[in-house]
Amino acid sequence: MLNIMIVGVGGQGSLLASRILGSLFISEGLDVKLSEVHGMAQRGGSVVTYIRAGENIASPLIPTGECDVIISFEKIEAARYLPWLKKNGMIVVNDQKISPLSVLTGAAEYPDDILDKIEKKGVKLIAFDALGAAAEAGSERAANVALLGAASREIGFSREAWENAIRSTVKPAFVELNLNAFEIGYQHS
Amino acid sequence: MKKLMLGNEAVARGLFEAGCRFVSSYPGTPSTEITETAAEYDEIYAEWAPNEKVAAESAFGACVEGARSFTAMKHVGLNVATDLVFTASYTGVNAGFVIAVADDQGMHSSQNEQDSRHYAASAKLPMLEPSDSAECIDYVKLAYELSEEYDTPVFLRLSTRVSHSQSLVELGERTEIPVKPYVKNPAKYVMSPANAMRRHPAVEARTLRLLELANSDKINKVIRGGTKIGVIASGIAYDYAREALGDQASYLKLGMLFPLPTDLIREFAASVDKLYVIEELDPIIETHVRALGIACQGKELFSLIGEYTVTDIRAKLLGVPGDPVYAAEDVPVRPPVLCPGCPHRGLFYVLNKLKVSVSGDIGCYTLGAAAPLSAMDTTIDMGASISMLHGRIKANPASAKTTVAVIGDSTFIHSGLTGLINVAYNNSPATVIIADNSITGMTGHQPNPATGVTIKNQQTNAVNLEEAVRACGVRRVRVVDPYDTEALETILREELAAEEPSVVISRHPCALLKSVKRGKPLTIDADKCRRCRMCMRIGCPALSFETGHASIDASLCVGCGLCKSLCKFDCIG
């Protein structure tokens, strides 16, 4: 069974990444379940998408300690979901800081060293500027696909299968952009 | 070909395939996407209604006229619709009528976590509960068959994790079900006491016939595994149990929650060493099992509160510890916030400044309760803002000068109008603020009767809020843009002082609407900033004070100018 979580801040848009993963797993003949957050948390709250692939998946949620790869759009969100990561699991994180309101107003402090702390626990970590990588590919909107590219080596499957999943998910006009973003992300892995 | 589909989309697909013709609902997380998706099928007439009661009644009308019909709501929406539901149970149906109700275990987006299964038992209506998207399609079709065969409305119970999870489905064709002829039949449909008295025995007889179905293997299934542990579960809790225990246990998976089986439970209980009931929220199945004189374990192991987890079930039934490998890092919490540019922000800033007590309501603006705006005192149910304000003023007339109600445009149409009529009719000098952002925001931008647009994005008749408010008997009606906090403050002071009912319409469209153009991000001249923190009082996610002076995140700022209007040192531009 493959367990992947995409975490971030409501409104960042993890939909495309989870659709590409879903398409990849279906084309590999796997059973797939996926759980999303709608409603109130989307207003700037912490959000999580669970994606599971394998044979006969029962629960759409990933139990703590069983996630293979956490893809995070934001630094402290990666830390928030650490208890879900399995031993030797990997975190791929967009090296971006989005302060919650308590930090903005000065009531709480943003732990700027959070990625170092995670790495010291022995977690495999890939951190890079996914927005910058996506901008290099043509648009910041492809940041989630750049993160997927960085996670793809750990998740497995052939490069062709990934590219087909991207082709079959994004609009034709955006295929090249997303393939480029994927490749730039891949270089970070 | 197999396709990944959201539970809610699968319910809509089930409606399409089952030949449903009419859908009417009011949005409510986690049920909203059912009706949004149903509206994408040309074969289905779909609409947003002003509230769940109107939606359910409209759908029931379509059913009586002879069309397979449907309504969807969240758990608390069912509280609004039950007036129809309890008596439609007596009349039965002409064509099939299905009512989907989506519970929100864990309260991801709700004000309580009531268990809708109680309603099935008390209204004596069959209730089906799918565990995944494939079952969502199958159970909708089954619900229509049962509805017509047993002459009854049928509940489809969903939950956040079924509604908002995707799993694989196989798509089928639509079965066209022609509209049945309508035949006048007052003995069935006019529920005067004499007629209702004759219908009640039909309801009880129907439940007995449904019990036979419950005891068969048509909907409730036994899945054989190890015999040491037997689990009775349904819906998402079955998925959790199945993953936690695998083939080590045997399962009685209940697809129908009312009526609950008797003989089937007895047989299953006799086939296992130890029986567990795993059900989120209330012990409804467990109480039933115990009433049959069968020993089981349920709520002494599992909580009445919130969602269950695979880890917890494994720990409790198999003794497998569920300690995570990596402990959580202590990081600041990230609750939802009003978006940058949200028009409600200016309103709550002024309410906070005026130090008034705010009788609040349900919607995005409930987020105005959070610091630093902290401008909401109560949030209970749809429409309660106005009615509760009326009660507060009658209990303590002096409070009229220091208390306001805040209600959104969609919520006002849903259940605020009747409260406002009470304010006018029984004459409390209340100040009611309609936070009109021209959309139903929290549930994801559904149009409502005040927007003049239908679910299919077509122009239609619109409620004119000013005229509606006047027609309720309110003479003082003011309209103001909450981006203009000075004007808003002046108007609120005047209306709080007024000795008669007044309505202030705080009108500015939601900043997330596609039709609303994002302004140029503002910047702060750090040299001019006197660190007074005035701009931090509005709780905007685009503003921060982390660098020792105010600064603006250009990727978030939409240039609404609220902070600029508050800055006394002219350093924002």
Side-chain angles (χ1 to χ4, degrees):
Chain A
M1 171 126 59
L2 247 175
N3 290 318
I4 297 165
M5 288 161 74
I6 302 177
V7 303
V9 179
Q12 279 188 303
S14 61
L15 201 65
L16 180 62
S18 59
R19 278 174 58 203
I20 290 170
L21 284 169
S23 164
L24 171 72
F25 298 146
I26 292 174
S27 69
E28 295 290 321
L30 299 170
D31 186 20
V32 186
K33 280 194 178 172
L34 202 147
S35 188
E36 307 168 351
V37 174
H38 298 241
M40 195 176 223
Q42 285 188 308
R43 300 281 171 263
S46 170
V47 293
V48 51
T49 302
Y50 302 90
I51 303 154
R52 318 190 75 190
E55 278 180 47
N56 295 324
I57 294 158
S59 165
L61 304 184
I62 298 170
T64 47
E66 294 188 21
C67 186
D68 296 280
V69 182
I70 295 176
I71 298 171
S72 180
F73 285 52
E74 201 276 347
K75 290 195 289 181
I76 58 169
E77 293 312 313
R80 195 184 309 284
Y81 295 95
L82 259 183
W84 273 262
L85 198 66
K86 75 172 191 189
K87 197 169 167 54
N88 298 322
M90 177 183 273
I91 292 181
V92 176
V93 56
N94 176 23
D95 189 6
Q96 189 191 5
K97 167 180 174 178
I98 301 177
S99 296
L101 205 54
S102 57
V103 172
L104 297 178
T105 58
E109 212 168 299
Y110 192 100
D112 285 314
D113 59 345
I114 192 68
L115 295 184
D116 293 338
K117 278 189 179 169
I118 294 173
E119 221 163 9
K120 278 191 186 128
K121 289 170 187 273
V123 173
K124 287 188 279 180
L125 187 82
I126 297 175
F128 69 105
D129 175 11
L131 287 169
E136 197 186 315
S139 164
E140 282 196 355
R141 298 182 68 170
N144 48 13
V145 178
L147 288 167
L148 268 189
S152 61
R153 205 192 297 249
E154 180 77 6
I155 294 171
F157 306 103
S158 70
R159 182 57 174 262
E160 194 188 357
W162 280 98
E163 290 184 359
N164 285 340
I166 292 170
R167 281 180 210 284
S168 66
T169 310
V170 307
K171 286 187 182 141
F174 300 114
V175 167
E176 276 314 304
L177 161 70
N178 283 290
L179 288 177
N180 288 342
F182 186 88
E183 173 58 29
I184 297 172
Y186 185 82
Q187 299 299 331
H188 285 277
S189 64
Chain B
M1 193 193 120
K2 288 197 169 174
K3 187 174 162 39
L4 258 184
M5 208 178 242
L6 201 63
N8 280 348
E9 291 169 351
V11 171
R13 181 70 199 184
L15 295 172
F16 168 76
E17 292 181 12
C20 174
R21 289 171 178 272
F22 183 97
V23 174
S24 183
S25 309
Y26 182 81
T29 313
S31 71
T32 311
E33 300 82 7
I34 301 174
T35 303
E36 286 182 326
T37 311
E40 292 171 8
Y41 294 103
D42 290 339
E43 294 83 351
I44 301 174
Y45 169 82
E47 66 179 24
W48 291 126
N51 65 32
E52 294 85 355
K53 181 172 183 283
V54 172
E57 289 161 350
S58 302
F60 188 59
C63 141
V64 169
E65 189 62 31
R68 283 193 167 185
S69 65
F70 175 85
T71 182
M73 59 203 70
K74 66 184 294 171
H75 57 327
V76 286
L78 183 54
N79 300 335
V80 180
T82 43
D83 209 2
L84 174 275
V85 170
F86 275 73
T87 304
S89 171
Y90 277 33
T91 65
V93 303
N94 182 16
F97 177 40
V98 177
I99 303 160
V101 54
D103 285 5
D104 190 15
Q105 293 96 315
M107 290 178 275
H108 297 272
S109 210
S110 304
Q111 67 269 41
N112 74 30
E113 54 180 346
Q114 69 187 47
D115 190 329
S116 295
R117 295 176 299 167
H118 292 291
Y119 274 119
S122 55
K124 303 181 182 188
L125 291 179
M127 176 178 261
L128 305 183
E129 184 176 41
S131 291
D132 59 23
S133 298
E135 282 189 357
C136 283
I137 296 181
D138 293 345
Y139 283 21
V140 167
K141 294 183 190 171
L142 183 61
Y144 278 108
E145 286 171 26
L146 297 185
S147 177
E148 288 168 4
E149 186 180 341
Y150 290 84
D151 191 12
T152 178
V154 175
F155 276 125
L156 183 77
R157 191 220 190 193
L158 303 162
S159 61
T160 296
R161 299 302 187 180
V162 170
S163 285
H164 288 164
S165 291
Q166 298 189 29
S167 56
L168 296 174
V169 299
E170 299 252 17
L171 303 187
E173 296 295 314
R174 176 173 168 93
T175 308
E176 277 303 338
I177 311 280
V179 176
K180 287 185 178 179
Y182 167 75
V183 180
K184 183 170 174 169
N185 186 354
K188 180 167 159 68
Y189 292 117
V190 178
M191 285 300 94
S192 60
N195 286 341
M197 196 62 87
R198 282 190 284 272
R199 288 299 300 174
H200 190 181
V203 173
E204 302 303 335
R206 178 178 75 204
T207 300
L208 290 177
R209 285 201 296 136
L210 283 162
L211 180 59
E212 288 173 30
L213 179 71
N215 279 322
S216 76
D217 61 358
K218 185 167 172 167
I219 307 173
N220 300 323
K221 309 277 186 197
V222 173
I223 297 110
R224 290 283 168 211
T227 55
K228 285 200 172 122
I229 298 173
V231 172
I232 305 180
S234 74
I236 195 69
Y238 168 75
D239 292 338
Y240 298 154
R242 179 82 207 169
E243 173 152 343
L245 310 171
D247 293 335
Q248 291 187 61
S250 291
Y251 305 88
L252 173 54
K253 179 187 180 298
L254 297 178
M256 185 154 77
L257 299 169
F258 184 85
L260 288 165
T262 50
D263 294 344
L264 190 60
I265 289 175
R266 285 191 188 97
E267 287 162 25
F268 180 72
S271 73
V272 295
D273 296 347
K274 193 148 191 195
L275 185 64
Y276 297 92
V277 177
I278 301 181
E279 56 185 327
E280 289 175 328
L281 303 178
D282 296 341
I284 291 174
I285 301 170
E286 181 184 349
T287 305
H288 173 78
V289 171
R290 288 183 192 279
L292 293 173
I294 297 167
C296 66
Q297 281 202 299
K299 292 299 171 187
E300 65 257 58
L301 291 176
F302 297 102
S303 179
L304 291 158
I305 300 159
E307 298 185 280
Y308 291 177
T309 64
V310 169
T311 309
D312 191 46
I313 295 170
R314 248 185 226 146
K316 283 173 175 157
L317 267 58
L318 302 178
V320 178
D323 302 328
V325 183
Y326 304 103
E329 276 293 328
D330 187 23
V331 292
V333 295
R334 192 188 300 275
V337 288
L338 293 173
C339 306
C342 176
H344 301 320
R345 180 169 285 110
L347 170 62
F348 287 113
Y349 166 75
V350 172
L351 293 175
N352 177 308
K353 188 179 174 193
L354 293 175
K355 299 278 171 271
V356 288
S357 174
V358 179
S359 181
D361 225 299
I362 309 278
C364 281
Y365 47 95
T366 309
L367 295 170
L373 295 164
S374 311
M376 194 165 287
D377 292 45
T378 57
T379 299
I380 313 291
D381 72 59
M382 296 285 283
S385 57
I386 302 178
S387 331
M388 281 180 66
L389 174 62
H390 174 75
R392 290 180 68 178
I393 291 171
K394 289 295 180 187
N396 174 18
S399 71
K401 307 287 182 211
T402 57
T403 313
V404 300
V406 172
I407 186 167
D409 49 326
S410 186
T411 308
F412 178 70
I413 300 281
H414 180 288
S415 288
L417 272 163
T418 41
L420 188 65
I421 289 169
N422 198 36
V423 162
Y425 173 56
N426 289 308
N427 200 20
S428 52
T431 303
V432 172
I433 301 163
I434 301 177
D436 178 9
N437 64 351
S438 311
I439 202 72
T440 312
M442 182 59 87
T443 46
H445 284 175
Q446 292 73 31
N448 67 56
T451 63
V453 177
T454 69
I455 193 171
K456 300 217 181 197
N457 218 11
Q458 286 159 342
Q459 296 296 314
T460 184
N461 311 310
V463 174
N464 180 308
L465 289 175
E466 292 90 318
E467 286 180 25
V469 162
R470 285 196 185 93
C472 290
V474 176
R475 285 177 296 189
R476 297 183 69 97
V477 184
R478 313 286 295 271
V479 181
V480 61
D481 185 333
Y483 276 11
D484 185 350
T485 50
E486 269 180 44
L488 178 62
E489 184 178 335
T490 305
I491 286 174
L492 282 176
R493 285 185 190 281
E494 287 167 9
E495 296 314 315
L496 280 163
E499 299 292 338
E500 61 174 300
S502 56
V503 168
V504 177
I505 300 174
S506 169
R507 178 174 287 152
H508 196 102
C510 172
L512 298 183
L513 283 174
K514 286 206 179 104
S515 56
V516 174
K517 286 213 170 75
R518 273 176 81 119
K520 222 177 126 217
L522 301 178
T523 54
I524 290 183
D525 184 341
D527 294 337
K528 282 196 196 167
C529 175
R530 303 274 193 93
R531 297 161 180 78
C532 70
R533 289 179 169 264
M534 188 66 194
C535 55
M536 298 308 295
R537 293 189 191 180
I538 56 176
C540 177
L543 274 161
S544 88
F545 220 80
E546 289 174 82
T547 46
H549 60 79
S551 62
I552 290 175
D553 182 339
S555 70
L556 294 173
C557 179
V558 299
C560 76
L562 183 62
C563 56
K564 184 178 179 207
S565 73
L566 298 177
C567 180
K568 295 195 175 78
F569 306 105
D570 204 25
C571 61
I572 305 179

